[in-house]
């Protein structure tokens, strides 16, 4: 399929980060259109974008005239349209494990720490920044502890979350670890996660997807190692 791919993204959005990784792993060229989630009240709320994506979230991927929403659904779409290299393993049991790991991040950790949740705490309930930080660190730590337990000593865990090639689970894990570092979560208790993150970031597809390498990132952002 030769139709243009256009990713509506924000450099620090972990959901958009997942899709950038998937596009890069597939070797698919795409155009990035930045949607600044903070400036001017958040460009995702502007009328044109809200019509295209009523959830007012990023990412959104355009494939020709089709508008694709929700990061995990986008990644599975990419895997079905461009099956090589695969983002899901060969067997039903392995695919279930990878999807469960991916959803642990995307459905359990991430929604509790999303920008719109933090804004609601701040503007509707006047929750101080220090208390919001405690909330974020708590739920990130809870989720990462569960993720670590599901990885450690599991026979399918290898160089990556499942086997010797990155999958949907790795596409979700690496952005979440970036967020955890950003908010000062102690990662020492998660050695398997840290090892897999390092293996992922050594790959060009993950390295190019880093937030600080995006065209809308502030110029002064250094690459994390």
């Amino acid at each position: 399929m030769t139709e243009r791919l256009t990713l509506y993204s924000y450099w620090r959005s972990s959901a958009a980060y997942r899709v950038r990784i998937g596009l890069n792993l597939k070797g698919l060229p795409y155009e990035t259109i930045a949607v600044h989630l903070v400036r001017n009240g958040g460009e995702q709320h502007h009328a044109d974008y809200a019509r295209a994506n009523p959830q007012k979230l990023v990412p959104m991927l355009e494939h020709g005239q089709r508008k694709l929403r929700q990061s995990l659904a986008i990644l599975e779409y990419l895997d079905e349209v461009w099956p090589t290299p695969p983002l899901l393993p060969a067997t039903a049991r392995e695919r279930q494990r990878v999807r469960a790991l991916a959803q642990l991040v995307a459905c359990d950790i991430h929604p509790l720490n999303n920008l719109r949740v933090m804004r609601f705490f701040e503007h509707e309930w006047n929750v101080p920044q220090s208390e919001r930080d405690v909330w974020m660190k708590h739920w990130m730590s809870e989720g990462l502890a569960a993720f670590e337990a599901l990885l450690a000593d599991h026979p399918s865990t290898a160089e990556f979350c499942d086997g010797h090639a990155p999958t949907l689970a790795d596409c979700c894990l690496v952005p979440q670890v970036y967020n955890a570092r950003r908010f000062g979560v102690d990662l020492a208790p998660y050695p398997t996660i840290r090892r897999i993150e390092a293996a992922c970031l050594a790959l060009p597809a993950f390295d190019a997807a880093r937030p600080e390498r995006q065209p809308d990132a502030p110029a002064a952002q250094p690459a994390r190692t």
Side-chain angles (χ1 to χ4, degrees), residues 175-186:
Q176 186 57 60
V177 176
Y178 171 88
N179 269 355
R181 281 206 177 89
R182 178 185 165 204
F183 290 101
V185 174
D186 180 12

Side-chain angles (χ1 to χ4, degrees), residues 11-12 17 20 24 30 32 178 201 203-219 221-225:
W11 70 282
R12 214 158 53 181
Y17 191 173
R20 293 196 302 264
N24 293 346
Y30 63 94
T32 297
Y178 171 88
L201 290 176
L203 299 177
F206 283 82
D207 185 58
R210 291 175 188 255
E212 58 270 16
R213 301 209 190 284
Q214 303 318 300
D216 57 322
Q221 288 289 322
R224 291 180 179 268
T225 58

Side-chain angles (χ1 to χ4, degrees), residues 7-8 13-23 53 55 57-61 68-79 87 102-103 105-107 110-111 114 168 171-172 175:
L7 179 65
Y8 291 79
S13 161
S14 59
Y17 191 173
R18 297 168 199 154
V19 174
R20 293 196 302 264
I21 293 168
L23 287 163
N53 189 355
Q55 286 189 282
L57 299 171
V58 295
M60 181 176 70
L61 183 69
L68 314 175
R69 306 165 187 89
Q70 289 291 338
S71 62
L72 293 189
I74 293 170
L75 287 168
E76 294 220 26
Y77 175 85
L78 296 177
D79 211 37
L87 297 179
Q103 289 177 28
V105 171
C107 302
H110 180 234
N114 200 300
L168 195 70
C171 293
C172 290

Side-chain angles (χ1 to χ4, degrees), residues 87-109:
L87 297 179
L88 288 166
T91 70
R93 181 178 296 179
E94 291 168 331
R95 289 194 297 274
Q96 191 282 330
R97 178 174 183 262
V98 165
R99 288 187 174 110
L101 290 169
Q103 289 177 28
L104 194 162
V105 171
C107 302
D108 293 346
I109 303 176

Side-chain angles (χ1 to χ4, degrees), residues 46-199:
H46 292 185
D48 287 347
Y49 189 79
R51 277 193 296 271
N53 189 355
Q55 286 189 282
K56 305 173 188 176
L57 299 171
V58 295
M60 181 176 70
L61 183 69
E62 286 184 345
H63 182 201
Q65 298 300 311
R66 290 173 291 281
K67 291 177 172 58
L68 314 175
R69 306 165 187 89
Q70 289 291 338
S71 62
L72 293 189
I74 293 170
L75 287 168
E76 294 220 26
Y77 175 85
L78 296 177
D79 211 37
E80 292 176 12
V81 177
W82 294 277
T84 304
L87 297 179
L88 288 166
T91 70
R93 181 178 296 179
E94 291 168 331
R95 289 194 297 274
Q96 191 282 330
R97 178 174 183 262
V98 165
R99 288 187 174 110
L101 290 169
Q103 289 177 28
L104 194 162
V105 171
C107 302
D108 293 346
I109 303 176
H110 180 234
L112 292 169
N113 299 293
N114 200 300
L115 175 63
R116 60 182 177 170
V117 174
M118 294 300 104
R119 280 183 162 174
F120 188 89
F121 282 175
E122 178 183 5
H123 298 301
E124 300 298 325
W125 291 345
N126 299 312
V127 178
Q129 182 67 56
S130 60
E131 294 180 18
R132 282 180 271 142
D133 289 345
V134 170
W135 167 278
M136 295 187 77
K137 289 181 181 180
H138 172 77
W139 292 114
M140 286 188 196
S141 298
E142 286 280 309
L144 290 173
F147 204 107
E148 176 74 19
L150 291 168
L151 291 177
D153 300 322
H154 193 285
S156 294
T157 304
E159 184 178 2
F160 300 99
C161 289
D162 194 272
H164 298 286
T167 65
L168 195 70
D170 304 278
C171 293
C172 290
L173 177 61
V174 168
Q176 186 57 60
V177 176
Y178 171 88
N179 269 355
R181 281 206 177 89
R182 178 185 165 204
F183 290 101
V185 174
D186 180 12
L187 296 175
Y190 319 122
T192 314
I193 286 174
R194 289 186 282 110
R195 175 183 62 75
I196 290 172
E197 182 210 24

